[in-house]
């Protein structure tokens, strides 16, 4: 499974930070975040809301463009080791320069340089999706979306809100998403993880997104599942994340197979791999064990993901070629 070429559409850059790197940076900066680590040295949290706090505490040691360059290098090396050839990562102006446009450009420059070097070294391609953090509120989301709109292009390719799905309502974020759409950014939103099927409907209605981050709780409303299938809405499913956070008791209970069987375009990603003790290889192995999925299914998933990627057509053609699928 490790060597199978993979496309990952849903990865949070800070959430993919190896705990060793965060610990090292904390030492360098004399920041005490020892409380976020468990006895095994990994990140420790009680539930999703505590996870968000631990995530933000870990992120507090990432204080400069150079720190983000180091992070990007480490993350892409780990992705490439697991066969990922193309990855879209959520990057937040909230953490990269406090939503100041000039600082954001500096962070972005450093991240892109590190990504270019990783592409030369490991053959992995990265693109960025700007992510407003929902629980930081609609005003912060507007500022993040402005950063996205001002830097939209061949590398910043989308906007995708994350954070606490129970904070506020999607209609509060319409302005931010309208701004991004006008800048030709592609749109996704975390929904149907903690918010249930209505949250998926609201993301589609208010934000007019073409992909949904998670979206798995659509399974609780089969009419919605059929709508997703009919409209070709792509789900960025992160099964290991859902199981680790207790959304489902085990892999066999996860709805990804049922969603796929009913015609929904599902893809597979890791979300925040070290937090959930997972990798893309492990996700594939667990899915094979739980649902009997074989290589043909995984190639199909990766083709769906490549076709749903927010990159330009030339990049897409290259990915499809590496997946050995004709790009027609
Ligand atoms: N930020 C990082 N991981 C997340 C998740 N699984 N849901 C919402 N926001 C997130
Ligand atoms: Zn996520």
């Amino acid at each position: 499974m490790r060597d199978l070429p993979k496309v990952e559409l849903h990865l949070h850059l800070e959430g993919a930070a190896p705990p060793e790197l965060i610990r090292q940076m904390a030492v360098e900066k004399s920041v005490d975040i020892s409380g976020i680590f468990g006895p095994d040295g990994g990140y420790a949290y009680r539930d999703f809301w505590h996870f968000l706090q631990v995530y933000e505490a870990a992120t507090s040691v990432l204080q400069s463009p150079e720190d983000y360059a180091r992070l990007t290098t480490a993350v892409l090396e780990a992705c490439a080791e697991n066969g990922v050839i193309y990855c879209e990562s959520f990057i937040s102006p909230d953490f990269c320069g406090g939503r100041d446009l000039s600082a954001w450009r500096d962070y972005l420059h450093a991240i892109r340089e590190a990504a270019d070097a990783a592409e030369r070294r490991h053959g992995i391609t990265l693109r960025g999706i700007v992510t407003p953090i929902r629980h930081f509120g609609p005003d912060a989301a507007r500022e993040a979306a402005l950063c996205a709109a001002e830097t939209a292009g061949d590398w910043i390719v989308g906007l995708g809100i994350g954070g606490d799905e129970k904070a506020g309502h999607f209609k509060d974020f319409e302005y931010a998403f309208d701004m991004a759409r006008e800048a030709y950014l592609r749109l996704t939103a975390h929904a149907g993880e903690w918010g249930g099927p209505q949250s998926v409907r609201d993301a589609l209605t208010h934000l007019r997104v073409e992909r949904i981050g998670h979206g798995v709780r659509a399974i609780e409303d089969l009419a919605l599942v059929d709508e997703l299938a009919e409209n070709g809405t792509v789900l960025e499913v992160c099964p290991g994340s859902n199981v680790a956070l207790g959304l489902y008791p085990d892999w066999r209970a996860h709805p990804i197979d049922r969603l796929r069987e009913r015609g929904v375009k599902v893809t597979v990603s890791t979300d925040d791999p070290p937090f959930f003790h997972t990798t893309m290889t492990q996700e594939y192995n667990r899915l094979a064990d739980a649902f009997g999925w074989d290589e043909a299914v995984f190639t199909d998933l990766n083709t769906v993901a490549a076709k749903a990627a927010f990159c330009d057509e030339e990049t897409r053609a290259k990915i499809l070629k590496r997946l050995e699928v004709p790009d027609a």
Side-chain angles (χ1 to χ4, degrees), residues 42-120:
Y43 300 113
Y45 53 87
R46 291 183 298 278
D47 56 23
F48 175 65
W49 290 272
H50 188 222
F51 154 80
L52 290 177
Q53 288 172 19
V54 169
Y55 185 110
E56 283 163 31
T59 301
S60 72
V61 306
L62 297 161
Q63 299 172 351
S64 68
E66 294 70 36
D67 293 342
Y68 267 83
R70 283 166 73 187
L71 172 64
T72 304
T73 300
V75 168
L76 290 180
E77 189 178 317
C79 289
E81 266 171 23
N82 285 282
V84 177
I85 59 168
Y86 175 85
C87 177
E88 286 179 8
S89 181
F90 295 111
I91 309 175
S92 175
D94 298 86
F95 302 133
C96 297
R99 300 188 298 275
D100 173 83
L101 180 57
S102 163
W104 164 246
R105 286 189 197 280
D106 293 341
Y107 276 79
L108 204 52
H109 181 74
I111 293 168
R112 286 190 64 166
E113 275 198 341
D116 288 349
E119 181 153 11
R120 288 191 297 274

Side-chain angles (χ1 to χ4, degrees), residues 12 48 51-52 55 162-163 190 193-194 214 241 245 271-272 276:
H12 298 262
F48 175 65
F51 154 80
L52 290 177
Y55 185 110
H190 283 64
E193 182 190 19
W194 302 100
H214 299 286
S241 161
L245 288 169
D271 210 6
D272 309 281
F276 307 134

Side-chain angles (χ1 to χ4, degrees), residues 184-259:
Y184 300 104
L185 286 161
R186 313 274 298 268
L187 307 175
T188 177
H190 283 64
E193 182 190 19
W194 302 100
Q198 188 56 42
S199 172
V200 175
R201 288 190 186 282
D202 289 342
L204 294 168
T205 305
H206 294 289
L207 307 184
R208 293 154 56 196
V209 293
E210 60 184 286
R211 295 191 336 218
I212 298 277
H214 299 286
V216 286
R217 291 191 52 201
I219 199 71
E220 295 163 31
D221 176 347
L222 291 181
L224 173 61
V225 173
D226 291 342
E227 267 177 54
L228 295 175
E230 216 159 282
N231 296 334
T233 306
V234 171
L235 302 189
E236 305 153 9
V237 184
C238 309
S241 161
N242 299 152
V243 172
L245 288 169
L247 209 54
Y248 300 104
D250 56 50
W251 281 73
R252 294 231 6 109
H254 194 282
I256 188 168
D257 191 49
R258 280 173 286 151
L259 288 163

